[in-house]
Amino acid sequence: VVVTETSPYDQESAVSSAASNLESVSNDPTKTTADVQAAQQALDDALATAKSDRETAKTNADTAEQNATDQGVADDSTVVDAQQALDDAIAAADNNTGTTQAIVDATNALDRAVAVASAKAVATNPVSQETAVASAKENLDNILADSASTTDQIIAARDALKDAVNDALEARNNALTGADTALNNAASSSAALDSDVIAAQKALQDAVASANADTGTTAAVTAATEAL
């Protein structure tokens, strides 16, 4: 029998079982050398798998913690607690008192905490009134309110809202540029003092102000621009 160091994987069920079996076989005078060798190989295989699984779990844990920083929510209280729980799980595993599954579970919990925190952090101002943004925000809120929702569902809804906001901002900027051009043209035109033109200018300025205050829409700016 080769004396095999099983730490820090003693808490892994496959390793514990294989080590126990090897000890039993080794102490059984009715067992053959081949039996002992087979039990030894089973332990070696269990350890190899445990080591690979542990390394993968710790790599994924590092990725999850980096993601918290990348998403800008590393200081969120729920995320901080989840990160601490993950660090504790890794420390326990390293000290041969914890398991790889505990690291996996803590990593999943951190991933969810980051997803929720980053989803809540998506800013929709000043395009909250846009239909696509409002719809994406409502969908995200519904998913966040559903305890059965998965982390992947939260991330997908979060990213859909981000996309809707970015598209809305692009459209808004284009509309505001058009509004500025229309206002400048009106001010320099021969009809600048016409009462209808003045009223149309005021309506456009109000539409722009409402849009900038997150109480109006891009469509209203575009319509007022066309009217001017």
Side-chain angles (χ1 to χ4, degrees), residues 124-215:
T124 57
N125 187 312
V127 290
S128 298
Q129 306 305 315
E130 303 302 333
T131 301
V133 173
S135 177
K137 180 67 164 60
E138 181 180 15
N139 180 59
L140 175 58
D141 288 344
N142 288 337
I143 288 176
L144 288 175
D146 184 359
S147 59
S149 64
T150 67
T151 299
D152 286 343
Q153 288 174 322
I154 294 172
I155 291 173
R158 177 201 69 193
D159 291 348
L161 177 56
K162 286 183 177 181
D163 289 343
V165 168
N166 288 335
D167 290 345
L169 287 173
E170 182 178 0
R172 175 68 58 80
N173 289 334
N174 290 338
L176 292 177
T177 297
D180 286 341
T181 299
L183 288 169
N184 290 333
N185 289 342
S188 61
S189 75
S190 58
L193 299 179
D194 181 89
S195 59
D196 289 339
V197 172
I198 292 174
Q201 284 178 304
K202 178 62 166 58
L204 176 53
Q205 289 166 342
D206 289 345
V208 169
S210 292
N212 288 336
D214 200 29
T215 58

Side-chain angles (χ1 to χ4, degrees), residues 1-190:
V1 177
V2 177
V3 177
T4 303
E5 175 60 62
T6 56
S7 178
Y9 310 105
D10 286 330
Q11 306 307 315
E12 305 301 337
S13 59
V15 172
S16 176
S17 176
S20 177
N21 181 62
L22 175 58
E23 182 178 8
S24 176
V25 170
S26 299
N27 292 328
D28 185 345
T30 67
K31 297 299 183 180
T32 67
T33 299
D35 292 332
V36 174
Q37 291 174 334
Q40 177 72 59
Q41 186 60 55
L43 175 57
D44 291 344
D45 291 344
L47 282 168
T49 298
K51 180 178 180 180
S52 176
D53 290 347
R54 180 73 57 83
E55 290 174 349
T56 298
K58 293 174 77 170
T59 296
N60 291 339
D62 288 342
T63 299
E65 294 196 329
Q66 182 60 48
N67 185 49
T69 299
D70 293 343
Q71 292 295 333
V73 295
D75 293 331
D76 177 89
S77 60
T78 302
V79 172
V80 170
D81 289 344
Q83 285 181 307
Q84 184 59 58
L86 176 53
D87 290 342
D88 290 345
I90 292 173
D94 287 343
N95 289 330
N96 202 30
T97 59
T99 66
T100 297
Q101 188 59 52
I103 296 175
V104 172
D105 292 342
T107 298
N108 290 338
L110 175 57
D111 282 339
R112 186 177 184 85
V114 169
V116 170
S118 60
K120 291 180 176 178
V122 177
T124 57
N125 187 312
V127 290
S128 298
Q129 306 305 315
E130 303 302 333
T131 301
V133 173
S135 177
K137 180 67 164 60
E138 181 180 15
N139 180 59
L140 175 58
D141 288 344
N142 288 337
I143 288 176
L144 288 175
D146 184 359
S147 59
S149 64
T150 67
T151 299
D152 286 343
Q153 288 174 322
I154 294 172
I155 291 173
R158 177 201 69 193
D159 291 348
L161 177 56
K162 286 183 177 181
D163 289 343
V165 168
N166 288 335
D167 290 345
L169 287 173
E170 182 178 0
R172 175 68 58 80
N173 289 334
N174 290 338
L176 292 177
T177 297
D180 286 341
T181 299
L183 288 169
N184 290 333
N185 289 342
S188 61
S189 75
S190 58

